[in-house]
Amino acid sequence: MLSLGTLAVLIYQTNHKKRLIKEDLIEISDIKYGLFNVDEWRDIVSEIIAKKIDELEVQGKDKVKLEKKITDFLKNVIHDFEKDYYDKNRDSFSGIIKNIGASAFDIFGSMKIRIPEFSKQIVEFLDDPENKKNLKAYITAKINEYAENTFSEVDYSAHNAVLKKYPWGDRPATIEGLRTLLNDFQEQSNLYKYILAVIAVLTAVFIFFSQVFSKMEFILLTLVCLLFLVLGLTLPMIEIDARISDFKISLLGEQINFQQQVIYYKSKSIIEVIQLMIQQGGFDLLMVGLLVFIFSVLFPLSKLITSVCMVLIPRMKSNKIALFLVYKTGKWSMADVMVVAIFMAYIGFSGILTEQLSQIEGLSSKVEVLTTNQSSIQIGFFAFTAFALLSLLLNKRSQKTIAP
């Protein structure tokens, strides 16, 4: 029994550490720091524009075409300006004098003659390395200004706290390191889960084929059930994980890629769910939390403890409260109902998330989106299920052992 208790402690510690690592990984992988992050897009757009400016080399036929486009543009601009100038000065004496002067000195004609020269100077300006550098700085400054004035500031406090906990430094390295750690703990957790399954099966077989238990056997079997109950109550039962695993889009001919963007994540144990409902403050949630605690925690725990006391203390076999807890609360206990409810909730959540994520994938043909539903049933569910089945089987087989 001591080794089984040690195993339970190892299981709890391993899953607790795994959960902390998973929560840190989820935090820095949250979509608010990636796909939905204005700082991230600002850096991407600035980098792409800077790259395109660096790649701008106006030579040969491209130079001729660009000069022609600039020439046509300047001709249209000067023509529109000339028309507006004469129209605006047509209704006053001073304006008429200005129009006569502009015509006499052929101001607009002189400008039109020099359009090819202006076009050539503009092209040379764009091709100058120093001007490219200044242009990149100007555009970057404008993008930063637009982002700051349009979007709210992103809170990086939780993100930076995670980075400080680990030695890898930046976010990509930390994500990679946390994934490696998480895989190691997951392998340990899977091993412990298989060991628990073997213990549960062997215990069930022993109970089923035993006609009468000795006091020590009954106490040990009860403690095994208690161990499964404690693990089932304290370890996470369901993990809801919806994410965009791969998001690809082309911008100005450059491929932009976001991976493993977490949209939603929750992982709670029964005790944590009860605590959350009680702390919410609403009367309805408070009542539900208390009912779940009474029927799924208090009654099963009281029944196991009282059963052991009745075996060790003979006079308790005539105690009405003890008899009620051992023989009557089994009908009121919601352990089996909780197992079914949690399993159905998992199926429901999984189906809803899968459907919603598939709709995201079909939003646009120009954007490649691959979504994944990584929700899963956790070890707490299996431990709680084992408790429900073993306690039910033990209760049916132990009548002679604890009978008055």
Side-chain angles (χ1 to χ4, degrees), residues 140-193:
T140 300
K142 285 299 180 182
I143 292 175
N144 292 337
E145 180 183 346
Y146 173 77
E148 291 172 359
N149 295 333
T150 306
F151 301 97
S152 58
E153 187 177 354
V154 180
D155 183 7
Y156 287 98
S157 56
H159 173 276
N160 294 336
V162 173
L163 295 185
K164 289 181 180 178
K165 287 174 61 176
Y166 301 96
W168 297 295
D170 60 359
R171 184 171 51 168
T174 302
I175 289 176
E176 189 63 31
L178 288 177
R179 285 176 181 167
T180 302
L181 282 178
L182 186 62
N183 289 335
D184 294 340
F185 279 106
Q186 185 62 53
E187 290 179 1
Q188 282 184 275
S189 179
N190 290 338
L191 176 61
Y192 291 144
K193 184 166 63 176

Side-chain angles (χ1 to χ4, degrees), residues 36 46 166 178 193 363 365-366:
F36 290 172
S46 299
Y166 301 96
L178 288 177
K193 184 166 63 176
L363 287 178
S365 59
K366 296 182 179 180

